[in-house]
Amino acid sequence: MQRDALALLVDALALLVDALALLVDALALLVDALALSVDALALSVDALALLVDALALLVDALALLVDTLALLVDTLALLVDALALSNLIRYELMKCCT
């Protein structure tokens, strides 16, 4: 009887050691999951920073487009002025020569 009780105690201790080993494994998995979560968060922050940079570049591109359109309007205004000046010169030449 004592022998059976001792065998049961040894079995119970072996089961306790196995349970502790499983607990250590579970904690290791939890630490790994936490590390992966931190890595994922860091990647999300990096992605957000890249998105902000892309938006800033888009704003810069739009500003350049506005500047280009303004230059086009100025160029067209100069072309209209040149045409008006050319017509004025032609008118004065025709008035002078006729």
Side-chain angles (χ1 to χ4, degrees):
M1 179 102 158
Q2 225 177 9
R3 187 182 246 175
D4 291 339
L6 187 59
L8 286 175
L9 182 60
V10 168
D11 288 344
L13 287 174
L15 287 174
L16 182 61
V17 169
D18 289 344
L20 286 174
L22 288 174
L23 182 60
V24 168
D25 290 344
L27 286 174
L29 288 174
L30 183 61
V31 168
D32 289 345
L34 183 60
L36 288 174
S37 295
V38 169
D39 289 345
L41 182 61
L43 288 174
S44 296
V45 169
D46 290 345
L48 184 60
L50 287 174
L51 180 61
V52 168
D53 290 345
L55 288 174
L57 288 173
L58 180 60
V59 168
D60 290 345
L62 288 174
L64 286 174
L65 180 61
V66 168
D67 290 345
T68 302
L69 289 174
L71 287 173
L72 179 60
V73 167
D74 290 346
T75 302
L76 288 174
L78 287 173
L79 182 60
V80 168
D81 289 346
L83 185 59
L85 185 58
S86 172
N87 285 335
L88 182 61
I89 291 171
R90 186 174 32 193
Y91 173 75
E92 290 297 326
L93 283 175
M94 287 176 59
K95 193 167 83 173
C96 172
C97 295
T98 57

